[in-house]
Amino acid sequence: MKSYRHSIEMHTEEREQVLDITERVQEVCARSGIADGFALVCSQHTSSAVYISDNDPALTEDLRRVLAQIVPEGTVYAHDLADPKGNGHAHIRATLVGLSCSVPVTNGALELGVYQTIYYAEFDGQRTKTVLIKVIGE
Amino acid sequence: MKSYRHSIEMHTEEREQVLDITERVQEVCARSGIADGFALVCSQHTSSAVYISDNDPALTEDLRRVLAQIVPEGTVYAHDLADPKGNGHAHIRATLVGLSCSVPVTNGALELGVYQTIYYAEFDGQRTKTVLIKVIGE
Amino acid sequence: MKSYRHSIEMHTEEREQVLDITERVQEVCARSGIADGFALVCSQHTSSAVYISDNDPALTEDLRRVLAQIVPEGTVYAHDLADPKGNGHAHIRATLVGLSCSVPVTNGALELGVYQTIYYAEFDGQRTKTVLIKVIGE
């Protein structure tokens, strides 16, 4: 068994922003030299998520709108009583979307469906964050 | 380390339909010859999900109703402006439920809890889709 | 490749309760003797979830409130027609949060972000349940 670990930095200009990280994860996978196994792609934070969706950027706007409705920013969150920055909604949104995803690796590359794109969803941005990629296989 | 990869086809007659795929994943696991490890079960699409829940079919109706409320079909999604088929809601529902799940493999079989059942949830069906199963272990 | 499997018991006094299980998962990881790989942490039930979030206990209250709004307990669930205990909402909440999570293992320890905490969320408690931890690596 081989394993390869690499972190990539996430830079966001907006407080909420979704980044397509497919190519960067693919590069890490190629550099790992692992032909067969899987890649675990993890936000190292708790106010951002990693998920797979369609390659249409408009969908990230749709997701933002749905999340804004079910986990609104205006509401008072217990978490924010201790945190003047008020990012309670960001943590709950990350929990619902999920902090990480696992992708099969076959023939040295991520085996994604035709339209599958790996996204990093930042819910409390404007500072550098980290996504950890662990490729495991042989 | 050994790895085994197999795709299974998903056929749906309804636009929204949930299929119990536990037995089919179990078969792939048995065929893999892997005694110890885990199985990664992935929708290869972005408008369907894979999840584990109770073995009561009534619950799939409950999930459908909750999702219809929080991600309604009637609303205009930005994604649908470019897509006359209007499946924006299907993508967002898949994101919330999750496209894949990982199941431990022990003694050559999926190690599921007593009532745990693996489901494929189709949110934009009536055509053949694919679930990729990757069993990794030894 | 090595693999280590261990179950830990979850005891809850409330019907809904969230437990920080980070230290217990870390212990299992250490006992596994696996230096490099990942840990799959799974609820063996379908009315409880495992997820990673911030180490602020107030957030578990926030999550409870959001889930109570989008998957209310009062509503009639089809699942509950056959189950006098009425835990339909518990199953759907578990589906939305997710039954399991995967955590990278590096240098013999879980590689979590600074504030990342592993939680077990019980939505139908007051009885003993099980979380299965499978550490895979070398």
Side-chain angles (χ1 to χ4, degrees), chain B residues 96-107:
Chain B
L96 292 181
V97 175
L99 298 198
S100 70
C101 71
S102 294
V103 186
V105 171
T106 306
N107 297 326

Side-chain angles (χ1 to χ4, degrees), chain C residues 3 29 34 57 65 76 81 106 120:
Chain C
S3 141
C29 180
I34 289 169
R65 203 163 34 77
V76 176
L81 303 178
T106 306
Y120 172 78

Side-chain angles (χ1 to χ4, degrees), chain A residues 115-130:
Chain A
Y115 299 109
Q116 287 189 333
T117 304
I118 308 173
Y119 290 105
Y120 172 79
E122 177 61 77
F123 299 118
D124 186 26
Q126 292 168 325
R127 44 190 164 163
T128 302
K129 297 209 179 170
T130 306

Side-chain angles (χ1 to χ4, degrees), chain C residues 7 16 110:
Chain C
S7 291
E16 290 184 36
L110 299 173

Side-chain angles (χ1 to χ4, degrees), chain A residues 3 5 43 45 78-79 134, chain C residues 36 56 62 105-106 111 116:
Chain A
S3 142
R5 177 207 172 282
S43 166
H45 306 267
H79 174 66
K134 187 115 184 177
Chain C
D36 210 35
D56 175 12
D62 291 325
V105 171
T106 306
E111 187 168 8
Q116 287 189 334

Side-chain angles (χ1 to χ4, degrees), chain C residues 7-25:
Chain C
S7 291
I8 56 178
E9 284 192 352
M10 299 291 116
H11 301 284
T12 48
E13 285 140 35
E14 310 291 332
R15 191 162 186 214
E16 290 184 36
Q17 196 172 337
V18 174
L19 305 172
D20 175 351
I21 59 170
T22 316
E23 221 166 291
R24 295 174 75 186
V25 180

Side-chain angles (χ1 to χ4, degrees), chain A residues 84-99:
Chain A
K85 290 170 52 201
N87 62 357
H89 66 283
H91 294 294
I92 305 299
R93 291 180 192 180
T95 297
L96 291 182
V97 175
L99 298 197

Side-chain angles (χ1 to χ4, degrees), chain C residues 41-64:
Chain C
V41 186
C42 308
S43 166
Q44 290 277 80
H45 307 266
T46 58
S47 53
S48 58
V50 173
Y51 68 100
I52 291 171
S53 188
D54 196 78
N55 68 350
D56 175 12
L59 263 176
T60 68
E61 186 47 48
D62 291 325
L63 178 61
R64 184 202 300 251

